[in-house]
């Protein structure tokens, strides 16, 4: 087998592994100062570990507090989703392009905000 054929064969074997690569980032959200009482009552769902996963080009956030949603890429390494949790209308943004990486959850109607930075 020639060197160029061997290189092509090796590349063909490695590409599927690279395409199925998985990245996980763990965030701990914290309420932002100024959240109103209605926001503070939702803290138990947010002030815990959230796992952001990108696998095979698909991104999702999961947490023991009930947030389990897929996000879409809006820019390279920036993912967003809208999500309803009970009466809360949430907007999630995972920014892996930022340094440090961030996960932000805002409530559309009340203005509540929780944020985490991955150090």
């Amino acid at each position: 087998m020639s060197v160029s054929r061997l290189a092509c064969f090796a590349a063909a074997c490695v590409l599927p592994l690279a395409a199925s690569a998985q990245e996980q980032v763990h965030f701990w959200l914290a309420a932002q100062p100024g959240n109103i009482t209605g926001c503070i009552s939702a803290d138990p769902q947010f002030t815990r570990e959230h796992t952001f996963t990108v696998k095979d080009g698909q991104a999702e956030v999961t947490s023991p507090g009930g947030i389990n949603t897929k996000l879409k890429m809006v820019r390279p390494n920036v993912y967003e989703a809208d999500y309803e949790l009970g009466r809360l209308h949430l907007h999630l943004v995972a920014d892996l392009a930022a340094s440090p990486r961030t996960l932000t959850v805002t409530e559309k109607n009340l203005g509540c905000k929780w944020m985490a930075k991955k150090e």
Side-chain angles (χ1 to χ4, degrees), residues 66-114:
I67 295 179
N68 300 298
T69 189
K70 297 197 181 307
L71 293 90
K72 64 179 179 181
M73 185 168 42
V74 293
R75 295 188 305 279
N77 289 321
V78 179
Y79 301 85
E80 293 184 357
D82 290 318
Y83 185 77
E84 290 192 28
L85 183 64
R87 62 181 177 84
L88 301 175
H89 302 282
L90 306 171
H91 183 70
L92 289 76
V93 178
D95 188 347
L96 303 185
S99 182
R101 298 170 171 186
T102 60
L103 176 65
T104 306
V105 178
T106 52
E107 202 289 326
K108 292 181 174 185
N109 298 323
L110 300 174
C112 310
K113 186 174 186 178
W114 294 266

Side-chain angles (χ1 to χ4, degrees), residues 7-29:
C8 287
F9 177 74
C13 291
V14 171
L15 281 176
L17 295 175
S20 67
Q22 176 175 317
E23 180 177 7
Q24 279 193 339
V25 181
H26 299 277
F27 293 100
W28 281 86
L29 288 168

